[in-house]
Amino acid sequence: MFDNNLVGLVALLISAAGSFIFFRFWLNKIWSNNTPATFLNNTFENRNFFRVSLIILAIALLFYMDFIRDYVFKNLTYRMNYVELMEKGGAVDKYFDPTDSLMVSIFENFSSYQLYYYKTVFSLVFLFIYFLLCQIILKLTYIQHRTLKFTSLLYGTGYLFMMLVFSFYFFTFPTEIKTNFYLISMELGHFLESSLPTLLLLLSFKIYLRYQNINQIE
């Protein structure tokens, strides 16, 4: 399955089609929506202290999520590697399982293949959580603007590019090349599932608004 040109070609075509559909949808439905954002304006009118408190709380949760994600994926990897050794005939008294006891109790009866797919599930879950936190922080900071345009573009492009790169992992390339494609896609995933996109968008949106103001003045 992981060394098949047909699977790689199908994955590549799905990624390309997904990219086309996403950008068409983004341009027609999200970028073109220029109606004034009024809901949060009305909600937080004369409540700046409350809004700033929410921003600080959301940013604190964002940074704490980095530790939670690291905990989950490290322990899933530990458990997957240990279970794989046991499945290959390893002795329980010969190998040490470094997995945290909480994660062992949750995934005690799972095979190494099941744990591998659970890593994929958790990756999607964390990606959604980071996207949601990013949008909340950006929206609360720039409350009068439609920030979803930029959050969806960054995360959508990043995810699709990650899947596009990962598609090449399925082709019958030499092991070193396949590993490089896998590592590149994994690093893209690490970037999206971190606090970095939010910090990047906060700064980029500030620059964008300043550029818009300069154009209006001219």
Side-chain angles (χ1 to χ4, degrees), residues 68 71-72 75-76 79 97-110 115 122:
I68 295 176
Y71 167 83
V72 170
N75 280 281
L76 276 174
R79 186 64 184 171
D97 183 6
T99 311
D100 183 75
S101 58
L102 175 62
M103 295 293 283
V104 171
S105 64
I106 296 173
F107 296 103
E108 184 176 5
N109 298 317
F110 288 81
L115 291 170
F122 273 106

Side-chain angles (χ1 to χ4, degrees), residues 62-91:
L62 176 71
F63 285 115
Y64 189 65
M65 283 300 302
D66 288 344
F67 294 99
I68 295 176
R69 183 197 177 279
D70 189 58
Y71 167 83
V72 170
F73 279 101
K74 275 189 175 181
N75 280 281
L76 276 174
T77 301
Y78 291 152
R79 186 64 184 171
M80 184 179 69
N81 292 338
Y82 177 78
V83 171
E84 187 177 12
L85 288 172
M86 295 302 101
E87 290 171 345
K88 292 180 178 179

Side-chain angles (χ1 to χ4, degrees), residues 10-209:
V10 171
L12 195 62
L13 290 174
I14 291 174
S15 299
S19 301
F20 176 77
I21 293 170
F22 168 75
F23 285 113
R24 283 290 301 271
F25 176 81
W26 183 83
L27 283 171
N28 295 331
K29 300 296 182 180
I30 300 179
W31 177 255
S32 60
N33 186 1
N34 294 314
T35 57
T38 58
F39 174 71
L40 288 184
N41 284 345
N42 297 331
T43 303
F44 291 104
E45 186 177 7
N46 300 322
R47 296 179 181 177
N48 284 334
F49 176 79
F50 181 56
R51 182 167 68 91
V52 171
S53 298
L54 286 179
I55 293 172
I56 294 173
L57 182 63
I59 290 176
L61 179 59
L62 176 71
F63 285 115
Y64 189 65
M65 283 300 302
D66 288 344
F67 294 99
I68 295 176
R69 183 197 177 279
D70 189 58
Y71 167 83
V72 170
F73 279 101
K74 275 189 175 181
N75 280 281
L76 276 174
T77 301
Y78 291 152
R79 186 64 184 171
M80 184 179 69
N81 292 338
Y82 177 78
V83 171
E84 187 177 12
L85 288 172
M86 295 302 101
E87 290 171 345
K88 292 180 178 179
V92 176
D93 56 349
K94 184 178 179 181
Y95 295 98
F96 171 70
D97 183 6
T99 311
D100 183 75
S101 58
L102 175 62
M103 295 293 283
V104 171
S105 64
I106 296 173
F107 296 103
E108 184 176 5
N109 298 317
F110 288 81
S111 68
S112 59
Y113 280 106
Q114 287 174 319
L115 291 170
Y116 175 82
Y117 290 116
Y118 263 96
K119 288 181 70 175
T120 303
V121 171
F122 273 106
S123 181
L124 293 174
V125 170
F126 278 111
L127 184 68
F128 176 75
I129 292 173
Y130 275 106
F131 167 78
L132 191 61
L133 282 173
C134 179
Q135 172 58 18
I136 289 172
I137 292 170
L138 202 65
K139 184 61 181 177
L140 287 172
T141 304
Y142 302 104
I143 199 169
Q144 298 179 348
H145 303 278
R146 291 196 169 276
T147 57
L148 183 62
K149 297 178 180 182
F150 301 90
T151 310
S152 59
L153 179 62
L154 176 60
Y155 275 89
T157 303
Y159 179 77
L160 289 167
F161 186 60
M162 178 184 71
M163 296 306 297
L164 189 67
V165 172
F166 185 69
S167 299
F168 291 98
Y169 174 74
F170 295 101
F171 286 92
T172 55
F173 295 128
T175 303
E176 183 179 354
I177 295 177
K178 287 166 63 69
T179 302
N180 287 337
F181 279 123
Y182 175 78
L183 291 176
I184 292 171
S185 65
M186 186 173 64
E187 289 304 316
L188 288 169
H190 288 168
F191 169 74
L192 293 174
E193 298 165 31
S194 72
S195 55
L196 292 176
T198 303
L199 300 178
L200 177 64
L201 280 176
L202 283 171
L203 178 60
S204 300
F205 200 75
K206 183 69 174 179
I207 295 172
Y208 168 77
L209 292 178

